[in-house]
Amino acid sequence: MAVDPDLLIAQTDTIRSALKALDRTGSGIVLLLDGEDRFVRTVTDGDLRRLILAGSELDDSLRALPEWDSLTVDSAVSEHEAIALMDRRRVDHLPVLDAGRRVVALMDRRAFGSRIELSTPHMGLAERQYVDEAFETNWIAPLGPNVDAFEREIAEYVGSPHAAALSSGTAALHLGLRLLDVVAGDKVFCSSFTFIASASPIVYQGAEPVFLDADRISWNMCPLALERAFETARREGWMPKAVVVVNLYGQSADYDRLIEICDKYGVPILEDAAESLGARYKSTPSGRFGRLAAFSFNGNKIITTSGGGMLVSDDGDAIARARYLSTQARQPAPHYEHTEIGYNYRMSNILAGVGRGQLEVLDDRVASRRAVFDRYRERLSTLPGLDWMPEPDWSFSTRWLSTLTLDPMRQKLPLDTIRGRLAEDLIETRPLWKPMHLQPVFAGTRYITAGTSSVSDDLFANGLCLPSGSNLTDGDLDRICDAIVRIAG
Ligand SMILES: *Cc1c(COP(=O)(O)O)cnc(C)c1O
């Protein structure tokens, strides 16, 4: 935030040179200095015009300017305070002075003030064309060519033969459980370290979740905890109906090990790939590992349809049944015959058009999100106590969110303080997901760890998500990194 020397002008300079400086810098303001380079006042176009109207000539010196008590701040001011002050006093600039009244910076409202959010929609060029086509052909209602094409295109991208486009990722998970025949009274293993939508559909079915801890190398379901959970179940004489494995923050779980264990017990996996479209596990795309897998196109996900989801599977019959259940389980009779209860879970043809456009730029979005993460790791590498989310050698993460944990032994500032200070600078961050076994709504639900300590508790206590959108500018990233260095350095 150093000062552009063109903005500094001496009292002995002329009105003409001040006008030229204003013209050159385009900032709307210059800073007047006395013979000792001390700040005197700010000068705007209007100040110079008034001088001339009062009879000054262009070649007169700026000494003719009246005294003016300009608003200034010292360098301890936070961006938050500076913005509040500018709002209150209706100014757009704040000279920052040192103790000797020398100018060290000029804060310009235009340089900040916009809020940086965690992850926002990032449209490409083609979405509108697909949506326009839907309008022109009046394919507004559910179903239509965009839905069919979007299903085909996702299936192709993931390498899964069948896909059903749905109204949300939650709907996809719910149908997935129903297709796996999860019914009231059943138990379902589920990652604890996740967003609640991984677990809610278990409850929709009247079944009971049993939460499993994460491992430290992927932050996803720990194979040792899974093994232990199955052993416990067998000892107690029950088996889960399904295992919901989540791929968190754009990273796949360790499927070779998880699948081996589930196969041993003959229990199917439902892959919650809501956060991991575009990720790979040992070169196989996310969404290829469960009996069924669910994606989300919610607004904060790596690509979005504003709201939507997709269920994919090798099993064509299951996907056909998902389509049927998602459209109110209508039998093909003109009067709509019903033999069972379904849902209104289908994706609309308009939103599928958005999805098709987004899918065209998915690989770019993955590259951008990974670049955001790399930039953070590089720029913040000298800060004490920051541990970035690991990426095991078998993983290609999309880095959907850039996440880290703070080591309280090495980073003295508590997480909440860091988050609070960043919020003052209009930078949104979030703690990591609060594990399901700690959620009040799941109080009393069973939770199984690999050993005596809980990894997910630890991640939640110390973890942070940074702004991670693929549409962050270099300027945004600089602003975030500068703020973090200032706060935690
Ligand atoms: C977003 C998300 C979901 C739910 O997807 P929606 O489309 O918002 O219903 C499920 N699981 C995880 C892990 C998610 O992040």
Side-chain angles (χ1 to χ4, degrees):
M1 218 196 308
V3 228
D4 175 356
D6 276 353
L7 290 170
L8 303 176
I9 193 144
Q11 270 180 317
T12 49
D13 278 336
T14 60
I15 296 176
R16 184 191 302 279
S17 58
L19 283 167
K20 279 193 178 148
L22 278 169
D23 201 38
R24 205 165 45 237
T25 62
S27 68
I29 201 166
V30 286
L31 308 179
L32 193 67
L33 306 184
D34 68 12
E36 317 267 289
D37 281 348
R38 283 179 307 229
F39 176 78
V40 179
R41 58 165 291 178
T42 55
V43 182
T44 65
D45 262 325
D47 294 324
L48 299 174
R49 200 164 52 236
R50 276 187 290 277
L51 262 190
I52 292 163
L53 285 174
S56 288
E57 300 287 332
L58 282 178
D59 290 319
D60 288 352
S61 95
L62 295 163
R63 285 189 194 286
L65 279 165
E67 271 186 34
W68 179 258
D69 191 13
S70 301
L71 190 62
T72 62
V73 290
D74 63 42
S75 53
V77 75
S78 72
E79 277 188 14
H80 178 67
E81 290 164 331
I83 292 166
L85 195 58
M86 285 192 271
D87 283 344
R88 209 158 53 238
R89 300 284 294 268
R90 297 174 193 281
V91 296
D92 291 327
H93 297 93
L94 277 180
V96 183
L97 306 186
D98 66 13
R101 289 193 66 77
R102 286 187 177 77
V103 180
V104 291
L106 178 65
M107 287 184 158
D108 183 338
R109 181 194 292 277
R110 289 173 300 186
F112 40 65
S114 65
R115 198 178 140 75
I116 301 181
E117 285 170 301
L118 204 70
S119 177
T120 60
H122 183 185
M123 291 296 115
L125 299 172
E127 290 83 348
R128 199 172 287 212
Q129 181 199 321
Y130 292 119
V131 172
D132 283 349
E133 265 168 38
F135 272 82
E136 279 154 22
T137 53
N138 206 30
W139 279 110
I140 308 295
L143 307 188
N146 280 333
V147 173
D148 298 342
F150 189 36
E151 288 179 344
R152 244 185 355 256
E153 289 158 5
I154 284 280
E156 194 178 323
Y157 184 91
V158 176
S160 205
H162 306 283
L166 302 167
S167 54
S168 69
T170 312
L173 289 163
H174 187 194
L175 285 176
L177 291 175
R178 178 127 176 217
L179 292 165
L180 294 175
D181 203 26
V182 171
V183 294
D186 283 342
K187 292 192 175 64
V188 175
F189 289 162
C190 180
S191 306
S192 185
F193 189 46
T194 185
F195 175 54
I196 192 163
S198 309
S200 308
I202 299 170
V203 182
Y204 300 166
Q205 283 304 94
E208 190 190 318
V210 174
F211 293 117
L212 271 55
D213 197 8
D215 65 30
R216 284 196 186 278
I217 60 160
S218 72
W219 294 11
N220 288 311
M221 187 180 282
C222 172
L224 297 174
L226 179 64
E227 183 75 65
R228 195 170 181 204
F230 271 119
E231 280 163 11
T232 306
R234 189 166 53 188
R235 216 172 32 244
E236 296 175 2
W238 57 275
M239 269 292 122
K241 205 59 160 302
V243 181
V244 178
V245 179
V246 184
N247 307 320
L248 221 56
Y249 299 124
Q251 175 152 279
S252 178
D254 188 356
Y255 283 105
D256 281 355
R257 298 176 65 200
L258 296 173
I259 289 172
E260 189 189 336
I261 298 163
C262 288
D263 282 353
K264 191 164 87 190
Y265 291 91
V267 177
I269 290 177
L270 173 57
E271 186 184 354
D272 180 350
E275 299 182 5
S276 65
L277 180 62
R280 293 193 292 273
Y281 174 75
K282 299 186 178 171
S283 80
T284 301
S286 232
R288 290 293 297 143
F289 295 95
R291 178 87 57 86
L292 297 133
F295 294 112
S296 165
F297 309 110
N298 191 42
N300 60 349
K301 297 297 184 338
I302 195 157
I303 61 169
T304 180
T305 58
S306 80
M310 189 80 75
L311 188 66
V312 301
S313 180
D314 282 348
D315 181 347
D317 293 342
I319 295 300
R321 186 162 155 75
R323 292 200 189 99
Y324 155 81
L325 287 172
S326 69
T327 48
Q328 307 285 18
R330 286 196 303 259
Q331 297 291 340
H335 55 265
Y336 293 163
E337 184 92 348
H338 299 279
T339 56
E340 59 191 318
I341 296 296
Y343 313 89
N344 182 3
Y345 274 176
R346 202 69 163 118
M347 181 181 280
S348 90
N349 194 53
I350 297 278
L351 299 189
V354 178
R356 292 182 72 191
Q358 287 273 277
L359 190 56
E360 290 180 14
V361 291
L362 172 58
D363 288 338
D364 292 343
R365 300 297 183 257
V366 172
S368 303
R369 297 234 180 202
R370 286 185 63 89
V372 165
F373 179 88
D374 289 344
R375 181 73 165 272
Y376 282 133
R377 197 166 44 182
E378 191 184 323
R379 281 283 311 270
L380 304 176
S381 61
T382 54
L383 289 192
L386 270 55
D387 296 312
W388 298 94
M389 181 176 180
E391 188 181 35
D393 54 11
W394 42 257
S395 169
F396 175 80
S397 169
T398 66
R399 299 293 188 185
W400 169 57
L401 292 186
S402 287
T403 57
L404 64 131
T405 53
L406 293 180
D407 176 354
M409 304 302 288
R410 289 179 293 144
Q411 174 52 246
K412 293 301 172 215
L413 273 190
L415 195 66
D416 285 348
T417 308
I418 295 179
R419 288 196 58 236
R421 300 235 177 114
L422 286 168
E424 286 178 4
D425 287 348
L426 303 177
I427 296 168
E428 181 187 23
T429 60
R430 264 180 208 277
L432 298 181
W433 294 125
K434 179 170 183 172
M436 290 305 112
H437 71 277
L438 299 179
Q439 296 287 356
V441 71
F442 289 125
T445 305
R446 268 179 110 164
Y447 174 56
I448 297 173
T449 58
T452 48
S453 70
S454 165
V455 173
S456 68
D457 282 63
D458 203 35
L459 291 172
F460 174 59
N462 299 305
L464 188 66
C465 305
L466 297 176
S468 309
S470 48
N471 47 5
L472 289 173
T473 63
D474 287 349
D476 291 336
L477 285 169
D478 285 346
R479 199 177 119 197
I480 300 162
C481 292
D482 288 349
I484 295 173
V485 168
R486 183 157 31 78
I487 293 163

